[in-house]
Amino acid sequence: MRHGPVVPRVESALRAMLAEGRWRPGERLPNEVALAAELGVGRSSVREAVRLLAHDGLVEVRHGSGTYAAQPPAPAGEGDMRRLLRRARLREVYEVRRALEVEAARLAAGRIRPEDIGRLRDHLALREERAGGDPSAFVDADLAFHRTVVELSGNAVLLGLFTSVLPVLREVLVEMVSHEPALPDVSCAHAELLDGLARGDADAAIAATVSHLEAVMELFDNDNDNDTSAFESDTSEKEVAAP
């Protein structure tokens, strides 16, 4: 819990506990105080993580009673509608991400300072270093790069909106990097984004951002055409591509 955003890590830890059967369906989880103490985080982080789990149907929050483990999701063979809804959710996340990051790239190109370029280069170097390794560590480095671009837009509201979707975005990216063999490698688009920002070229920065995000969104559309789930686990060896 000491590295990276706290809420996504709390959520991940609780997901693992539920998957391992620590609490049976219908069994009440410990209260916020106990979970916060066990995980070494604040109560507000536990509360937000539980809210995300409830949104995904993994727990049930009964006001005045507590939080209870929900019934496990339907088996893959019975989950056609669940997969369709999951694909829709993934695409919606990326539609929001595209709207935020395209505007951030445009603004950042006109406001970036020479010292900011060094920060972005460091983030990008760490991202490249972690490619092919632990998916969570790679995604954290990737999101640090993108969050810095949004920060350099100089728009506090834009940064607040981006930060608010980070927990869901991180979950989506970790899942894709972990399980999607067809995920495109968009490392070049990241380098082009950095280059466009360094030159103060808003059009180039926007084009690189669109290229990066729409390459992944095209995967969702192709998956829908083939009526297969792009995010089912694949146990075969694969090269980890960039989100």
Side-chain angles (χ1 to χ4, degrees):
M1 297 298 166
R2 293 177 297 177
H3 305 289
V6 176
V7 172
R9 292 182 176 273
V10 174
E11 181 191 2
S12 179
L14 292 176
R15 281 180 182 274
M17 293 176 187
L18 288 163
E20 293 166 359
R22 180 165 176 177
W23 303 289
R24 296 186 300 275
E27 183 177 353
R28 189 166 70 89
L29 276 64
N31 60 30
E32 286 180 3
V33 175
L35 288 174
E38 179 178 349
L39 297 173
V41 298
R43 292 177 59 185
S44 61
S45 297
V46 171
R47 187 179 308 117
E48 178 62 15
V50 167
R51 186 188 68 79
L52 294 171
L53 294 175
H55 178 76
D56 284 352
L58 297 178
V59 298
E60 179 185 356
V61 178
R62 303 175 190 173
H63 296 289
S65 176
T67 301
Y68 295 79
Q71 290 291 335
E78 304 172 10
D80 292 342
M81 181 56 68
R82 178 179 292 276
R83 289 198 297 270
L84 288 173
L85 292 174
R86 187 164 187 76
R87 285 199 297 269
R89 181 189 182 211
L90 291 168
R91 200 181 206 294
E92 286 174 358
V93 169
Y94 258 74
E95 287 172 350
V96 171
R97 183 181 185 186
R98 179 178 57 186
L100 294 175
E101 292 197 38
V102 165
E103 180 62 12
R106 184 185 73 81
L107 292 173
R111 298 172 178 176
I112 198 166
R113 303 166 299 177
E115 57 266 33
D116 298 326
I117 302 300
R119 290 175 57 200
L120 286 174
R121 290 193 193 283
D122 290 343
H123 285 312
L124 196 55
L126 181 60
R127 179 184 182 279
E128 293 172 353
E129 178 184 318
R130 292 181 175 179
D134 175 65
S136 296
F138 173 70
V139 167
D140 286 340
D142 179 74
L143 289 178
F145 172 81
H146 289 287
R147 189 187 184 283
T148 299
V149 173
V150 179
E151 178 186 336
L152 295 177
S153 73
N155 187 311
V157 175
L158 198 61
L159 179 59
L161 290 171
F162 184 79
T163 301
S164 71
V165 302
L166 271 179
V168 174
L169 182 57
R170 182 182 186 277
E171 177 192 345
V172 167
L173 292 177
V174 170
E175 183 171 347
M176 286 198 295
V177 172
S178 299
H179 301 306
E180 178 45 57
L183 191 64
D185 186 344
V186 291
S187 299
C188 288
H190 284 73
E192 290 167 0
L193 171 57
L194 177 56
D195 181 63
L197 292 174
R199 292 185 287 109
D201 187 336
D203 289 339
I206 289 172
T209 301
V210 171
S211 174
H212 156 219
L213 298 176
E214 292 196 347
V216 180
M217 294 173 73
E218 184 178 349
L219 179 67
F220 303 157
D221 294 335
N222 289 340
D223 175 54
N224 187 61
D225 291 340
N226 295 330
D227 194 29
T228 58
S229 176
F231 302 98
E232 293 176 348
S233 299
D234 185 339
T235 57
S236 62
E237 294 184 0
K238 60 183 180 295
E239 179 181 356
V240 176

